[in-house]
């Protein structure tokens, strides 16, 4: 792992390269994407290639970087699951968590999840809270904010485009939610992250 990337891992909670070389009895350095997940990753790779090839506007490099961030985030979460086999597991909730991870940009409701996974609202909400410690809505919002923070830290993508890519219904809703969770507006957070990174590399 390069020194710069190692610093960024610690500063900005980026996935470590551990996922490419650490193994256990359940993980052999091959990311366990299923067909649907692999399709999503392939779409992101295609998006990277398109942005690099076409360069449609001055944000092409940021969009490519945003896709790279999402791919690493997917891989890191699956890697983490492989090394947490002793934690309490629930097949239904595992499926829901994976769906959320790979579909953050989509709008969906608890009733949608119940219909798609053939369960009832009470069972789903109770089991989800038991396993994760959060309600479904809390978990989804926290995940969307977490992803948006990484994209803000390392791209100049517009707040409007970012809010859409992270599944928020509007830029204003994203900005309000982000400030509620972090104490900063997205623009303030991006500026602070840049200043922190510059300061760290200058020391």
């Amino acid at each position: 792992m390069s020194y710069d990337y190692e610093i960024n891992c610690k500063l900005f909670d980026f996935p470590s390269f551990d996922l490419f070389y650490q193994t256990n009895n359940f993980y052999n350095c091959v990311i366990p994407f299923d067909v649907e997940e692999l399709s999503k990753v392939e779409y992101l790779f295609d998006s990277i290639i398109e942005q690099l090839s076409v360069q449609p506007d001055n944000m092409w490099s940021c969009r490519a970087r945003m896709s790279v961030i999402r791919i690493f985030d997917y891989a890191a979460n699956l890697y983490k699951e492989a090394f947490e086999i002793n934690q309490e597991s629930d097949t239904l909730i595992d499926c829901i968590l994976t769906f959320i991870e790979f579909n953050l940009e989509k709008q969906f409701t608890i009733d949608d999840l119940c219909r798609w996974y053939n369960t009832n609202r009470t069972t789903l909400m109770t089991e989800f809270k038991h396993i994760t410690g959060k309600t479904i809505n809390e978990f989804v919002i926290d995940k969307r904010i977490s992803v948006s923070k990484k994209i803000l830290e390392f791209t100049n993508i517009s707040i409007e485009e970012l809010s859409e890519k992270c599944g928020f219904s509007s830029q204003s809703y994203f900005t309000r939610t982000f400030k509620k969770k972090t104490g900063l507006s997205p623009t303030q957070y991006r500026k602070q992250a840049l200043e922190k990174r510059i300061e760290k590399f200058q020391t």
Side-chain angles (χ1 to χ4, degrees), residues 125-142:
M125 294 178 68
T126 301
E127 292 186 9
F128 193 95
K129 182 71 177 286
H130 176 68
I131 296 295
T132 68
K134 298 179 180 180
T135 67
I136 294 174
N137 288 335
E138 287 171 343
F139 185 91
V140 171
I141 290 295
D142 286 350

Side-chain angles (χ1 to χ4, degrees), residues 107-125:
Q107 298 293 318
F108 54 87
T109 67
I110 294 173
D111 288 337
D112 289 333
L113 295 174
C114 291
R115 186 172 66 256
W116 295 335
Y117 291 93
N118 194 28
T119 186
N120 65 69
R121 189 181 181 92
T122 301
T123 298
L124 176 57
M125 294 178 68

